């Protein structure tokens, strides 16, 4: 159920609706919008009677939400969500680029990439300190040591740090050291971890599971938002198909599909999405052209020696090439969007 408030509704009127929802034993989510505030209700086992809220001062109407997901839906919030980290944004006017190595391997390796990334004017830095690897014998990440290196990247270059949490313990540490908590494809349906991410004070970057449908992705985001964290960024990183020319099949059609039904920003990861270095730049261009809010790109100073995901990591000069190309496309897309009537 969604309680829609009048444009001029007072804080007290909004608070009264929230109190009523809580007295009923449910959770109220106040979602301010450009035109009006809406209050989403979660935790109710079945449909609620609109009469409970209609008639309260400041309420226009109470409407059932028709989708299985509620808080992520455009029904609850028409305008796009802009996730803000300091002065940097994801979902705003500027294309957000998140770049860095797959894994934080050493101080030197990390600083080399960070310096390059920051010189190009890129605002977000990635690097895994906890790596969910297919094999238990593969490099598992430096753990807290890696997070400390990332914190130094932020201090030295002002880059915003995006890094993955793989369980509750690492989530506690990621929340302490990083700016955005990444939930990886393998954990997209780890519901207990999603709830933990929903309690984090920092935004969450949620990667699509390797065989997840659009609805499953949105419901995973709903888990996070239902806990009160509304700063969620979705990420398309490819799905498993029969194709053998790539590691995964990058499903770019999910970008306009998400746009249609959700207000959340969505970025594209052509590194995991293709698994092959030579395909990353073309698919990054395509991701921007299709309207993604940003890109996540793996970059390594010496990809052949990378401890993880070397075959898909760009060299530093290739990354510069990518940034130059996608910025031109982003400017074109922005112009086209401004000329188009709003959806
Ligand atoms: C990563 O970003 O390094 C990663 C492990 O990605 P994914 O969860 O998409 O496989
Ligand atoms: Mn990787």
């Amino acid at each position: 159920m969604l309680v829609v408030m009048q444009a001029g509704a007072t804080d007290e009127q909004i608070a009264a609706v929230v109190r009523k929802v809580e007295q009923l034993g449910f959770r109220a989510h106040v979602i301010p919008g450009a035109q009006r505030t809406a209050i989403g209700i979660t935790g109710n086992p079945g449909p609620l009677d609109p009469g409970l809220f209609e008639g309260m001062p400041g309420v226009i109407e109470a409407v059932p939400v028709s989708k299985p997901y509620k808080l992520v839906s455009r029904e609850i919030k028409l305008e796009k969500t802009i996730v803000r980290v300091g002065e940097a944004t994801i979902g705003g006017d500027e294309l957000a680029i998140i770049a860095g190595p797959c894994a934080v391997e050493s101080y030197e390796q990390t600083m080399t990439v960070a310096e390059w990334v920051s010189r190009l004017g890129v605002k977000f830095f990635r690097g895994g300190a906890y790596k969910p690897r297919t094999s238990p014998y593969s490099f598992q990440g430096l753990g807290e040591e890696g997070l400390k290196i990332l914190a130094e990247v932020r201090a030295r270059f002002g880059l915003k740090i995006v890094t993955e949490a793989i369980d509750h313990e690492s989530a506690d540490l990621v929340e302490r050291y990083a700016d955005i908590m990444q939930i990886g494809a393998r954990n997209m349906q780890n519901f207990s971890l999603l709830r933990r991410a929903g309690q984090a004070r920092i935004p969450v970057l949620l990667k699509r599971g390797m065989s997840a449908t659009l609805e499953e992705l949105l419901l995973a985001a709903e888990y996070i938002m239902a806990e009160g964290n509304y700063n969620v960024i979705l990420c398309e990183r490819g799905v498993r198909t029969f194709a053998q020319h790539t590691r995964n099949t990058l499903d770019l059609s999910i970008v306009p599909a998400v746009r249609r039904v959700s207000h959340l920003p969505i970025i594209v990861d052509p590194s995991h999405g293709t698994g092959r270095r030579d395909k990353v730049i073309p698919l990054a261009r395509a991701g921007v052209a299709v309207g993604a809010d940003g890109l996540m790109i793996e970059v390594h100073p010496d990809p052949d020696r990378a401890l993880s995901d070397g075959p898909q990591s760009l060299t530093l000069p290739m990354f510069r090439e990518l940034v130059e190309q996608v910025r031109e496309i982003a400017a074109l897309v922005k112009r086209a969007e401004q000329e188009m009537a709003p959806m």
Side-chain angles (χ1 to χ4, degrees):
M1 164 96 33
L2 178 63
V3 180
V4 183
M5 303 300 293
Q6 289 165 359
T10 64
D11 290 349
E12 179 41 44
Q13 289 169 339
I14 292 169
V17 173
V18 170
R19 272 198 305 277
K20 175 105 173 228
V21 172
E22 288 170 355
Q23 277 161 10
L24 291 164
F26 310 135
R27 186 159 181 167
H29 304 262
V30 178
I31 318 272
Q35 310 296 331
R36 70 224 184 352
T37 291
I39 300 162
I41 304 173
T42 59
N44 46 309
L48 292 175
D49 174 8
L52 285 165
F53 303 98
E54 285 176 351
M56 287 182 77
V59 172
I60 301 179
E61 58 176 347
V63 283
V65 177
S66 61
K67 303 272 186 338
Y69 40 86
K70 305 176 183 197
L71 303 172
V72 308
S73 162
R74 268 196 189 266
E75 290 179 51
I76 213 158
K77 181 167 176 267
L78 207 55
E79 313 82 54
K80 266 180 75 177
T81 287
I82 301 177
V83 172
R84 295 174 197 279
V85 185
E87 77 295 347
T89 56
I90 304 180
D93 283 340
E94 198 181 338
L95 180 76
I97 301 179
I98 304 170
C102 178
V104 174
E105 298 171 6
S106 70
Y107 183 86
E108 296 287 74
Q109 169 248 17
T110 308
M111 289 300 157
T112 306
V113 182
E115 185 172 7
W116 192 275
V117 163
S118 118
R119 276 219 207 120
L120 290 168
V122 167
K123 303 209 171 120
F124 297 91
F125 188 77
R126 64 148 289 147
Y130 299 90
K131 296 304 306 173
R133 302 304 298 279
T134 302
S135 162
Y137 308 118
S138 300
F139 176 60
Q140 304 283 312
L142 297 180
E144 188 170 4
E145 200 46 48
L147 293 177
K148 286 183 179 158
I149 296 173
L150 290 171
E152 199 159 327
V153 164
R154 179 180 36 213
R156 208 159 129 189
F157 300 104
L159 288 162
K160 313 296 182 201
I161 304 299
V162 182
T163 195
E164 181 166 355
I166 55 169
D167 50 24
H168 284 241
E169 196 186 343
S170 53
D172 291 347
L173 289 163
V174 165
E175 194 177 3
R176 197 174 321 145
Y177 286 98
D179 297 299
I180 297 183
M181 181 184 294
Q182 177 172 322
I183 301 294
R186 290 156 192 80
N187 276 314
M188 193 207 79
Q189 286 189 315
N190 179 340
F191 300 116
S192 136
L193 185 59
L194 293 175
R195 284 213 168 91
R196 170 64 188 82
Q199 289 151 12
R201 299 170 287 97
I202 58 175
V204 177
L205 180 100
L206 176 65
K207 299 191 91 175
R208 181 184 183 182
M210 47 190 91
S211 64
T213 62
L214 169 63
E215 188 166 304
E216 286 162 344
L217 173 64
L218 293 173
L219 285 168
E222 187 80 18
Y223 263 90
I224 299 169
M225 295 182 76
E227 292 295 321
N229 189 347
Y230 306 127
N231 289 308
V232 180
I233 305 135
L234 306 173
C235 178
E236 163 60 26
R237 47 77 73 206
V239 288
R240 197 57 84 74
T241 68
F242 51 79
Q244 289 173 333
H245 59 286
T246 49
R247 176 181 178 186
N248 293 295
T249 295
L250 192 64
D251 175 19
L252 291 177
S253 67
I254 202 168
V255 175
V258 162
R259 210 55 99 213
R260 225 184 134 71
V261 294
S262 176
H263 54 84
L264 292 176
I266 176 160
I267 68 164
V268 164
D269 170 356
S271 302
H272 295 86
T274 65
R276 311 275 173 95
R277 190 174 311 136
D278 63 315
K279 296 179 179 63
V280 172
I281 295 181
L283 271 295
R285 289 197 301 253
V288 175
V290 84
D293 295 295
L295 294 170
M296 171 173 269
I297 308 290
E298 288 188 340
V299 186
H300 197 283
D302 186 359
D304 291 341
R305 300 227 178 113
L307 297 181
S308 69
D309 287 349
Q312 69 194 35
S313 297
L314 297 189
T315 62
L316 300 172
M318 281 179 92
F319 177 62
R320 181 176 54 206
E321 183 60 38
L322 178 145
V323 170
E324 285 167 2
Q325 290 190 18
V326 298
R327 280 191 177 142
E328 285 188 36
I329 296 169
L332 284 175
V333 172
K334 194 94 292 167
R335 228 177 302 147
E337 274 174 2
Q338 278 160 359
E339 284 162 15
M340 247 165 37
M343 297 198 335

